[in-house]
């Protein structure tokens, strides 16, 4: 092995170690998306897809989390999450209030858990699959450089009027980046 190759491998190992170790600073949990009719039966009735999740700082030191949630469909439609306090309040389990991704962004104290809600309006009724992307959960190096990192992607398929989880994990799928342009 040449000195240049050896140096390159050592450099890659040194750079990747902090990224790998810091990525485990967050526990991420999520639920199943559910449909919700708001102002049902009125002229102003609207359909929403509601998705709840939580993030937890697993270490004894404050971290910064630049979280964002987006949704795409197999019908090639993109949706940014919205926050409606009156809907979040109805969904709340009484233990704590669900907050928006915008409110969740920023400092996360030691061992603190925050519960988030993503509300997507008017999802295409013809969609048979949806992908929910969550950015800001990994690669602190990307956060510090202000870049969009790999997203955690959760795919659901429609079964009747319910959404069934199909697969999940960090993804190199960059279709969610369309909303950043």
């Amino acid at each position: 092995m040449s000195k240049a190759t050896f140096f390159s491998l050592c450099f890659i190992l040194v750079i990747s170690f902090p990224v790998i170790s810091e990525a485990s600073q967050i526990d991420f949990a999520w639920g199943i998306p559910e449909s919700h009719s708001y102002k049902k039966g009125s002229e102003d009735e609207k359909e929403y897809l509601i998705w709840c999740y939580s993030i937890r700082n697993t270490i004894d030191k404050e971290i910064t989390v630049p979280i964002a949630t987006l949704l795409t469909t197999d019908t090639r439609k993109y949706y940014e999450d919205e926050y409606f306090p009156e809907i979040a309040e109805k969904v709340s389990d009484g233990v704590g209030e669900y907050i928006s991704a915008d409110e969740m962004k920023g400092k996360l104290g030691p061992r603190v858990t925050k519960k988030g809600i993503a509300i997507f309006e008017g999802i295409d009724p013809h969609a048979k699959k949806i992908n929910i992307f969550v950015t800001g959960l990994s690669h602190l190096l990307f956060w510090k450089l202000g870049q969009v990192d790999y997203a955690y992607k959760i795919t659901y398929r429609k079964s009747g009027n319910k959404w069934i989880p199909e697969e999940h994990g960090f993804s190199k799928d960059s279709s969610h980046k369309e909303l950043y342009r």
Side-chain angles (χ1 to χ4, degrees), residues 5 9-10 12-13 44 46 52 58 61 66 91-92 94 101 105-106 125 131 143 147 149 151 156 180:
T5 305
L9 289 173
C10 288
I12 290 170
L13 180 63
D44 298 330
K46 291 186 179 185
C52 298
T58 63
K61 145 180 150 171
V91 174
S92 177
K105 280 181 190 169
N131 299 302
W143 302 349
Q147 298 174 352
D149 62 326
Y156 298 92
Y180 288 109

Side-chain angles (χ1 to χ4, degrees), residues 46-163:
K46 291 186 179 185
E47 288 294 319
Y48 297 98
L49 189 69
I50 298 170
W51 182 70
C52 298
Y53 60 96
S54 67
I55 60 171
R56 179 177 179 266
N57 179 351
T58 63
I59 64 172
D60 292 323
K61 145 180 150 171
E62 186 176 82
I63 60 174
T64 301
V65 182
I67 199 129
T69 56
L70 314 157
L71 184 142
T72 64
T73 67
D74 58 345
T75 58
R76 300 187 189 273
K77 301 219 167 125
Y78 296 85
Y79 302 87
E80 291 187 63
D81 73 325
E82 301 179 64
Y83 184 77
F84 300 98
E86 58 276 7
I87 294 174
E89 189 177 296
K90 283 187 176 190
V91 174
S92 177
D93 58 9
V95 175
E97 186 177 317
Y98 287 103
I99 60 176
S100 69
D102 283 341
E103 288 178 274
M104 192 174 285
K105 280 181 190 169
K107 302 290 183 196
L108 186 59
R111 307 282 177 195
V112 169
T113 300
K114 290 185 179 181
K115 296 185 338 180
I117 187 169
I119 303 170
F120 303 99
E121 183 178 349
I123 301 299
D124 185 347
H126 296 70
K128 299 295 180 210
K129 278 191 180 184
I130 59 172
N131 299 302
I132 297 177
F133 292 92
V134 181
T135 62
L137 295 176
S138 71
H139 304 297
L140 289 177
L141 178 63
F142 287 115
W143 302 349
K144 291 174 184 171
L145 296 174
Q147 298 174 352
V148 176
D149 62 326
Y150 290 129
Y152 198 85
K153 177 181 170 186
I154 306 153
T155 301
Y156 298 92
R157 73 178 157 74
K158 197 166 201 174
S159 178
N161 62 353
K162 302 263 186 214
W163 292 100

